[in-house]
Amino acid sequence: MAIAESLAPHAAHDPAALGARPAFDGPGPGMAALIAWVDEIATLTQPDRIHWVSGSEEERTALLDQMVATGTLIRLDPEKRPNSFLARSDAGDVARLESRTFICSEREEDAGPTNNWAEPARMRETIQPLFHGSMRGRTMFVVPFSMGKVGGPLSKLGVQITDSPYAVASIQIMTRVDQEVTRLIAEGAEWVRTVHSVGAPLRPDEADAVWPCNDEKYIVHFPDSLEVWSFGSGYGGNAILAKKCYALRIASVLGRDQGWMAEHMLLIRVVDPQGREYHVAAAFPSACGKTNLAMLRPTIPGWSVQTLGDDITWIRPGEDGRFHAINPEAGFFGVAPGTGVTTNITAVETLREDVLFTNVALTDDGDVWWEGLTEETPAHLIDWQGQDWTPDSGLPAAHPNSRFTVSAAQAPSISDDWEDAVPLDAILFGGRRATNVPLVVEAFDWEHGVYLGSTISSERTAAAEGTLGELRRDPFAMMPFCGYNMADYFAHWLEMGGTAEQLPRIFQVNWFRRGADGRFLWPGFGENSRVVDWIIRRLQGEAEAIPSPIGLLPVVDELNLDGLDLPAADLEELFEIDADSWLAEAKLTEEFYDTFGDRLPAALRSQLAALRGRLQNAKA
């Protein structure tokens, strides 16, 4: 089969135009390097055909139609969910694989204790035989993409080679795929090389699997040569290499070397009742309310929140002496379970059309469902593995990590200028903490804020008895995503404090503190706007704060609690600082810091010592 014929969509269009390598007048020095790299990967992987992805709507339609024909996608009811599709993965290929994710820096100490390290030459010896012939019988797609709007001042370029049409369809949502990217590369723009194969070559006339993958899996980063190689998995986080692999792990290395930051943060614009605008980035580990804050609908009058990004933020110093931030992604790759009409109506409304769902349940009328979508559970579904399901089945209908992939532009809360860089006013850090951490606390200064970010954690236990539960560390919500030694990452944050005259103020929030009886003390969700209200008024100089051993706390009477039936005892407990519990936590922080040895910045040990001193004084 010819290259172009594999995606021939409509008789009215010349199929030879689909998949052809783009040609430019006077292509420049970069095109030869790009073509040579594509040829090198093709020689290694031995595909039957090569398809250069242009990003056109016609091409995307043809790709989706092809996947429906092969059974990879199920077309949903066009009335209920227009132009939307459901994919069901292999049961062994459903999530990111941190255990198979490697940082292959030249020196092991540059990867640090929080990453899996492998010597680069040895890793290449391991994966090259796996990639040899891995695309036989398949199409090799060449996907040029931009992180950030094409040509934007903070944007970066990349190319992904993949043999997965599902990955191509996902990349087209999550990034800007356009021939203009190829033109920029041809003219000499820098770009990152990413290679992906599901690792399932086909013999002649062999029937393909609905979800091809391989039991052996590798997600490998070479930060010194700015490459990503992923083998064996078709799942989004392992196959959409522009996302965590590039936009965080590789980009964090670029940021370290070039003087900017790639962060696992949402980005929002908050507008106060007087129409004043503020921009806030926030880092939260998984299951800590990140998406809800990104699409917050304030419950207090006069306030509004506009979404700029839900997952990744790139931050650079600007000529005006401030930090400026963009969301480099073009879409949302969200966890479906728990996203519902009562928890995040904005997200549900975003999913009205043009959505790629993965591993959710199928309703009898051709729509999708997952746990938490509605209060009422359907009487019958087809579950994520294609089996009949009823509420008595005893298993979830949707996989707990089932996903939706959708354009960010569809969100009702999206800002009109969401692709532009914005000045950053505040940074929030948050975890899921049943004890110790108050509802909100402001850092004393930038260095103290970096300390707060380095200690972000969630408790593995409910800690209903009031004792400190086992902490799952996730500093800056970047533990799985930092592409180099995290101690050096902490140092980079400290150094960035000297690159701007007006730094963002730093806050720590905790929506999940529990009372002695195990109850959540704070209602969360839309009521979190009351905390945002206080933070913005702090920026305006309109709210006071009380110094405490751990940071600056609100004057409780200045919190906007109008209409909120919150018992006085709960409010007091939300801000209670127990010196003994905090001293116990300081010991755990020291143990965590010790894992980095002498590489840890001395400033953070000084911050820890100062915290202990303030706590001891509070006990005196």
Side-chain angles (χ1 to χ4, degrees), residues 65-133:
D65 287 346
Q66 182 190 59
M67 284 190 282
V68 170
T70 59
T72 298
L73 297 182
I74 298 169
R75 190 184 301 274
L76 299 176
D77 183 271
E79 296 293 327
K80 293 181 171 59
R81 203 74 63 165
N83 199 37
S84 297
F85 303 86
L86 169 63
R88 295 186 182 123
S89 79
D90 183 90
D93 191 22
V94 294
R96 271 191 303 107
L97 295 167
E98 293 181 20
S99 64
R100 306 301 298 162
T101 300
F102 296 88
I103 301 296
C104 297
S105 51
E106 290 295 335
R107 302 186 306 171
E108 182 174 4
E109 58 265 33
D110 290 338
T114 63
N115 284 314
N116 299 318
W117 178 81
E119 195 275 326
R122 183 165 296 179
M123 177 57 76
R124 291 188 190 276
E125 291 174 357
T126 299
I127 63 174
Q128 288 290 312
L130 297 176
F131 277 93
H132 181 72

Side-chain angles (χ1 to χ4, degrees), residues 505-516:
R505 303 261 283 274
I506 297 178
F507 300 80
Q508 183 174 2
V509 297
N510 176 31
W511 320 129
F512 303 99
R513 188 153 177 174
R514 294 178 183 265

Side-chain angles (χ1 to χ4, degrees), residues 259-323:
W260 54 280
M261 299 190 290
E263 300 301 326
H264 189 208
M265 292 179 173
L266 63 88
L267 185 62
I268 57 176
R269 172 180 293 136
V270 180
V271 184
D272 76 1
Q274 287 73 46
R276 294 173 292 188
E277 297 180 349
Y278 299 86
H279 298 101
V280 179
F284 294 84
S286 60
C288 292
K290 187 177 184 184
T291 304
N292 286 322
L293 183 57
M295 300 180 178
L296 184 70
R297 289 192 179 181
T299 56
I300 49 180
W303 290 83
S304 64
V305 169
Q306 299 170 15
T307 305
L308 298 169
D310 79 322
D311 192 47
I312 297 174
T313 298
W314 288 356
I315 304 169
R316 294 177 187 260
E319 294 180 357
D320 60 353
R322 303 181 66 185
F323 284 168

Side-chain angles (χ1 to χ4, degrees), residues 100-176:
R100 306 301 298 162
T101 300
F102 296 88
I103 301 296
C104 297
S105 51
E106 290 295 335
R107 302 186 306 171
E108 182 174 4
E109 58 265 33
D110 290 338
T114 63
N115 284 314
N116 299 318
W117 178 81
E119 195 275 326
R122 183 165 296 179
M123 177 57 76
R124 291 188 190 276
E125 291 174 357
T126 299
I127 63 174
Q128 288 290 312
L130 297 176
F131 277 93
H132 181 72
S134 65
M135 297 186 186
R136 196 175 295 123
R138 300 191 179 279
T139 297
M140 186 179 96
F141 297 95
V142 182
V143 192
F145 62 87
S146 177
M147 303 303 293
K149 65 181 182 180
V150 179
L154 307 188
S155 301
K156 291 287 185 181
L157 306 181
V159 178
Q160 178 164 335
I161 287 176
T162 180
D163 56 5
S164 166
Y166 169 88
V168 176
S170 301
I171 297 164
Q172 288 177 323
I173 296 173
M174 294 303 302
T175 74
R176 287 85 171 168

